[in-house]
Amino acid sequence: MAAKLTDAQATRQAQRLASVRPELRQAYASALLRWLQNPALARLGRPIVTEGYRSAAEQDALYAQGRTKPGRIVTYKQGGASKHNRQPAEALDVAFMLSNGQVSWSAELLRRFAQLMKQANPAIRWGGDWPQFRDRPHFEL
Ligand SMILES: [Zn+2]
């Protein structure tokens, strides 16, 4: 069984999903359902959306990370340039909640989830397929 979300977590998931384009939301809903209905996958963890819409200011703060602020580089897009910055957003980021409550960005879990996302909507591009800066949690239209 996949970890259950608390009411507060479920509300945040709904808010993040509401901030993205309907095609993306529908594909995620379909992939999530197929994941949770597959006991072998559900046992590994529960997919969660960690980000949908992100403001230009939030994007600039992320861009600073690894450049003018400590940390590793997590984006090559400045404020306004990311599909997360559109309204509604044309990108969402995914992670997994494990049965112990921890959040995982396992490359293997993300690869498996990406297959379901692409099956749900072939127009969706997965950041893990990008040749230079692989962004495995990232899905966009
Ligand atoms: Zn992203």
Side-chain angles (χ1 to χ4, degrees):
M1 274 295 286
K4 276 205 51 97
L5 299 179
T6 65
D7 287 350
Q9 287 168 334
T11 300
R12 261 198 308 280
Q13 288 297 296
Q15 287 168 342
R16 287 174 190 153
L17 279 168
S19 76
V20 307
R21 283 259 298 264
E23 308 96 290
L24 204 50
R25 185 159 66 232
Q26 283 153 13
Y28 179 81
S30 162
L32 175 67
L33 189 65
R34 288 185 60 198
W35 183 282
L36 294 176
Q37 285 176 342
N38 181 327
L41 292 177
R43 204 177 301 126
L44 298 175
R46 169 187 286 274
I48 53 171
V49 176
T50 57
E51 188 120 80
Y53 172 73
R54 181 190 296 150
S55 72
E58 289 167 328
Q59 186 71 35
D60 280 332
L62 271 189
Y63 186 82
Q65 187 178 320
R67 296 185 175 89
T68 55
K69 298 237 178 78
R72 65 180 184 91
I73 287 178
V74 290
T75 184
Y76 285 84
K77 309 266 187 185
Q78 290 184 270
S82 166
K83 292 198 170 191
H84 285 288
N85 305 148
R86 310 242 169 99
Q87 255 183 322
E90 294 175 8
L92 58 76
D93 296 335
V94 173
F96 296 85
M97 184 173 289
L98 307 182
S99 53
N100 63 8
Q102 293 201 315
V103 176
S104 165
W105 285 268
S106 153
E108 176 60 16
L109 292 186
L110 287 165
R111 187 188 63 76
R112 291 193 189 195
F113 191 72
Q115 291 174 336
L116 298 182
M117 286 289 280
K118 289 188 258 187
Q119 283 166 16
N121 184 344
I124 287 175
R125 297 194 307 151
W126 178 42
D129 287 330
W130 296 344
Q132 284 164 358
F133 177 62
R134 282 200 186 183
D135 190 359
R136 289 189 182 87
H138 180 93
F139 295 88
E140 67 175 40
L141 289 167

